[in-house]
Amino acid sequence: MTTRPHVTAGVASCALLAALAVAGCSDSQSPARPATPVPAPQKTSPEETCTELVSYWAKETLKGSKWSGLDWEQKGLSNEQYAIHEEIIAAGSAEAKHKGREAGLRLVDRLAKQKCATQNGATGSSENWRAPE
């Protein structure tokens, strides 16, 4: 007896479907997969938050971004952070005039980190400021 290839393939397909159906209907439970560990969310300190916000918005101002004109609340800054923001924009602008824009942007990063650390995140004067969750 000769078997034609399409008949053999058809029989194999039916056998595969039958095996899958039986496996899907069995009462046995599949072994539980080990849980993938989920990293705990990292807490950002007030100093880090201050540095990121103040530095970002001061650099946007030095670059002339269309968003740099937002007020302190729209930028998510406390009153004290806004004071730091204004102070380092002045310093960064002066540095940019003498040594170029990149030097001004680097100074902004350094000053934001220094001043935010010195003032413990500069959050004390704002009633609206909330720590990141």
Side-chain angles (χ1 to χ4, degrees):
M1 170 176 181
T2 339
T3 310
R4 287 179 259 168
H6 66 281
V7 171
T8 305
V11 170
S13 296
C14 286
L16 178 61
L17 287 173
L20 290 173
V22 169
C25 295
S26 71
D27 288 338
S28 66
Q29 295 179 350
S30 61
R33 287 190 223 153
T36 304
V38 177
Q42 294 182 346
K43 294 276 185 176
T44 305
S45 72
E47 292 83 2
E48 292 168 323
T49 301
C50 173
T51 300
E52 289 176 23
L53 284 171
V54 171
S55 172
Y56 175 81
W57 287 115
K59 288 189 291 187
E60 288 298 299
T61 299
L62 290 180
K63 292 176 189 176
S65 163
K66 70 177 184 175
W67 300 109
S68 64
L70 298 175
D71 69 23
W72 64 274
E73 284 183 306
Q74 292 169 317
K75 292 177 181 178
L77 302 173
S78 71
N79 296 341
E80 289 177 348
Q81 290 166 348
Y82 185 69
I84 293 170
H85 171 268
E86 293 299 293
E87 185 179 334
I88 68 174
I89 286 173
S93 293
E95 183 81 357
K97 283 181 186 176
H98 296 293
K99 297 182 182 176
R101 185 163 121 182
E102 290 305 313
L105 297 175
R106 285 191 302 271
L107 179 61
V108 161
D109 282 336
R110 282 194 314 273
L111 291 176
K113 185 173 184 174
Q114 175 191 0
K115 292 182 178 297
C116 287
T118 301
Q119 295 184 35
N120 299 317
T123 62
S125 66
S126 178
E127 295 173 14
N128 299 325
W129 191 88
R130 301 284 182 267
E133 293 181 19

